[in-house]
Amino acid sequence: MLRRSKLLILLCFAWSECLASNLVDTMDMTNKIKCLDMSPKYRKRADKLVEVEVDVTIISISSLNLAKMELNLDLHLSQTWTDKRCMFRLLPRQEKVVTLQGYGLQHRLEHLWIPDTYITNAVSTTQHPAPQPQQSTKVHFSGEIQHRVRLSLTASCPMNLQFFPFDHQKCILSWQSYSFPNSKVHYKWANNSTLRFQEGEAYQESMMPEMKLRGFRKTSRVVLDDNEEKSRIDLILYFDRPLGYYLFEIYTPAVFIVIMSWFNFWLNRSATPARITLGVTTVLTITTLKANADSNLPHTSYPKAIGLYLWVCFVFTFAALIEFSAAAYLEKRRNFLQSKMQPSIEVELGVQVEIDSALRENAMSLLLPMEKDDIKETSETEVRTRKKSYMSKKMNDPKLIEILKPSIADMYSRILFPAVFLAFNVVYWGFFLLYSTMHQEL
């Protein structure tokens, strides 16, 4: 009898020590939390209003796709709410929080009510199941529950690219409940003033160098969705577009191509192959540059700032080619008129005109009346023919030699083209840089 009593005392002492230590099996411990039992009644939302506090930690924003107008990023989404059904009594030396994580305990989440939160403007959302499900659920003894999950998502981000690349963009991420109205599930931000980056802001800038995150804003509102008022929270991200890439890769080459087209004005007009080759090459090069600049941009109904600049550069290179064509034609016409004004030819023509006039007067006095009528008809026909060739006479007028001076066209172009292009650049850069400074919203 005494041995049995000692054995019973030892068993009770060992059992109490086991309960007081951290060696208690987690499955046994979680079974003491009612909301984690297998009963389906805990899958339902609590009868009272549930306030869900949301916090976001951004891992990285990988890209802002202009062609698809989408934002790609990875983040940790944390939701915290209170469910009195999950309160449990603390055991001696037991931690205040029970963590459910990994394949071993993850199945118990099927019996725990979790808000059906979704991102309203998400195109695709992906969780990370390997090597372990990258999510965890912590149950506090007071009934507070924190659910944290890693998401890779692509969200739609409508953008106005009219002032590209001087534009400022904003992308909105919105969370709300899929099923419950605002009277049952209400969302709010855990912290409105901060936005955490897992690897820091310097890492974020290196991940997306084409855009710079200028700031953020967190808001909450009530929206009408499916004839119900639902609580929604928004994370608004503001982006600036650095001009460095576009200055070095697009604007600077375009300027040098336009300047190269002006070399035609200094080349000899007789060097026709060289001038044509240079003019066509500059036109084709600026066209290729414009096509490359538009390749990653959506086809919009409105012009973009970068497209306007390249279009004007194309006009300047094409105008330089047209100027050479006009100067070459003037040179050809001038040479033709000069060939008709040789001195020897002029003397021969003058003598021939005087002989023809004398012979005509003598012949007219000897002709019969009928023959005079025939000559009169012939003269009228010649007059009509001359009237029809009035434009030809004007174009063959020797006086045009004083007017047709191809060198003047090249001389004026050497001054006019650079002056107009410089004025355009002053207006263009002044306007868009001023716009970029004045339209920064936050």
Side-chain angles (χ1 to χ4, degrees):
M1 188 70 178
L2 183 60
R3 290 181 178 179
R4 290 181 180 179
S5 300
K6 290 181 179 180
L7 181 60
L8 182 61
I9 293 173
L10 288 175
L11 289 175
C12 292
F13 179 79
W15 177 250
S16 62
E17 285 294 321
C18 182
L19 291 178
S21 66
N22 289 328
L23 299 177
V24 180
D25 183 71
T26 308
M27 293 290 292
D28 295 337
M29 189 168 62
T30 54
N31 280 330
K32 300 180 183 301
I33 305 175
K34 295 181 180 180
C35 64
L36 295 180
D37 286 344
M38 300 301 182
S39 175
K41 66 181 180 179
Y42 295 110
R43 301 179 188 176
K44 299 180 181 180
R45 183 190 58 85
D47 295 333
K48 298 181 180 180
L49 171 66
V50 178
E51 290 193 352
V52 181
E53 289 188 355
V54 178
D55 196 11
V56 171
T57 301
I58 295 180
I59 302 175
S60 67
I61 303 175
S62 56
S63 66
L64 184 60
N65 194 315
L66 295 178
K68 297 182 179 180
M69 294 194 177
E70 293 176 349
L71 178 68
N72 301 310
L73 71 159
D74 290 302
L75 55 83
H76 293 293
L77 177 64
S78 177
Q79 302 178 82
T80 305
W81 69 96
T82 300
D83 191 342
K84 298 297 183 182
R85 299 172 297 180
C86 292
M87 298 176 62
F88 61 91
R89 182 174 59 88
L90 284 176
L91 298 176
R93 299 178 61 184
Q94 180 183 344
E95 294 185 358
K96 297 181 180 180
V97 178
V98 175
T99 301
L100 305 176
Q101 189 275 333
Y103 289 110
L105 297 176
Q106 201 65 30
H107 69 281
R108 289 190 173 273
L109 294 181
E110 300 175 359
H111 306 279
L112 175 67
W113 181 84
I114 297 177
D116 56 345
T117 308
Y118 79 106
I119 303 174
T120 60
N121 60 331
V123 177
S124 63
T125 305
T126 305
Q127 296 188 15
H128 297 262
Q132 290 283 336
Q134 296 183 19
Q135 61 176 335
S136 66
T137 303
K138 296 182 178 181
V139 181
H140 196 268
F141 79 97
S142 62
E144 183 180 272
I145 304 173
Q146 183 185 47
H147 181 68
R148 181 181 173 90
V149 60
R150 177 184 175 181
L151 299 175
S152 294
L153 64 94
T154 300
S156 62
C157 180
M159 291 176 280
N160 184 359
L161 300 176
Q162 187 173 3
F163 294 92
F164 178 89
F166 302 92
D167 56 331
H168 306 281
Q169 301 297 340
K170 67 176 181 180
C171 294
I172 303 177
L173 300 175
S174 301
W175 288 269
Q176 73 175 43
S177 172
Y178 190 84
S179 306
F180 299 104
N182 184 42
S183 58
K184 295 181 178 180
V185 176
H186 178 75
Y187 290 90
K188 63 180 181 179
W189 289 106
N191 193 334
N192 285 329
S193 59
T194 60
L195 178 63
R196 292 193 298 272
F197 288 87
Q198 179 173 290
E199 305 296 335
E201 296 185 10
Y203 174 80
Q204 171 55 42
E205 291 183 2
S206 63
M207 283 293 296
M208 191 173 61
E210 70 273 13
M211 296 295 290
K212 182 179 180 181
L213 182 63
R214 175 165 45 90
F216 71 94
R217 187 157 58 94
K218 295 180 178 180
T219 62
S220 59
R221 53 191 171 125
V222 176
V223 297
L224 186 64
D225 183 18
D226 195 20
N227 295 324
E228 289 183 326
E229 290 186 348
K230 293 186 177 181
S231 176
R232 177 180 295 182
I233 55 175
D234 301 318
L235 173 61
I236 308 174
L237 303 174
Y238 295 92
F239 296 96
D240 289 340
R241 195 182 307 279
L243 286 175
Y245 169 81
Y246 302 96
L247 283 175
F248 289 104
E249 299 296 331
I250 296 179
Y251 284 103
T252 302
V255 170
F256 280 106
I257 291 171
V258 173
I259 294 175
M260 188 171 65
S261 69
W262 299 341
F263 292 170
N264 267 334
F265 307 147
W266 276 270
L267 292 179
N268 195 324
R269 289 185 300 277
S270 61
T272 302
R275 297 188 70 165
I276 291 178
T277 302
L278 181 59
V280 173
T281 300
T282 54
V283 170
L284 294 179
T285 305
I286 199 70
T287 303
T288 304
L289 185 63
K290 187 177 185 303
N292 291 337
D294 292 337
S295 60
N296 295 326
L297 298 177
H299 299 162
T300 58
S301 59
Y302 51 83
K304 307 174 188 66
I306 192 170
L308 174 63
Y309 191 89
L310 294 177
W311 183 83
V312 172
C313 291
F314 172 81
V315 170
F316 270 91
T317 55
F318 188 75
L321 183 61
I322 295 299
E323 187 276 339
F324 162 67
S325 301
Y329 176 76
L330 294 179
E331 182 72 18
K332 179 181 178 181
R333 201 68 192 171
R334 181 182 176 87
N335 293 337
F336 174 75
L337 293 177
Q338 285 180 345
S339 65
K340 294 179 62 176
M341 294 296 295
Q342 297 298 331
S344 60
I345 298 177
E346 291 178 1
V347 173
E348 292 178 2
L349 290 176
V351 174
Q352 186 66 33
V353 169
E354 292 178 359
I355 294 173
D356 290 344
S357 300
L359 292 175
R360 186 177 299 175
E361 291 177 359
N362 294 333
M364 288 296 289
S365 63
L366 299 175
L367 288 176
L368 295 175
M370 185 179 296
E371 293 174 345
K372 292 181 179 180
D373 294 338
D374 293 339
I375 293 173
K376 184 177 181 181
E377 292 177 2
T378 303
S379 301
E380 292 176 356
T381 303
E382 291 177 357
V383 171
R384 286 197 298 270
T385 304
R386 291 169 184 169
K387 288 182 178 179
K388 291 180 181 179
S389 61
Y390 174 79
M391 182 59 67
S392 178
K393 287 176 61 178
K394 286 295 185 183
M395 293 299 296
N396 294 321
D397 189 355
K399 296 180 180 179
L400 287 177
I401 296 178
E402 302 297 330
I403 302 175
L404 300 179
K405 295 182 178 180
S407 59
I408 294 181
D410 285 343
M411 189 180 303
Y412 285 161
S413 298
R414 295 171 188 173
I415 301 175
L416 185 62
F417 274 70
V420 176
F421 189 67
L422 178 61
F424 164 73
N425 275 274
V426 171
V427 175
Y428 178 89
W429 291 101
F431 173 78
F432 284 108
L433 289 177
L434 182 62
Y435 166 84
S436 178
T437 304
M438 295 181 61
H439 289 76
Q440 291 184 358
E441 58 175 320
L442 186 61

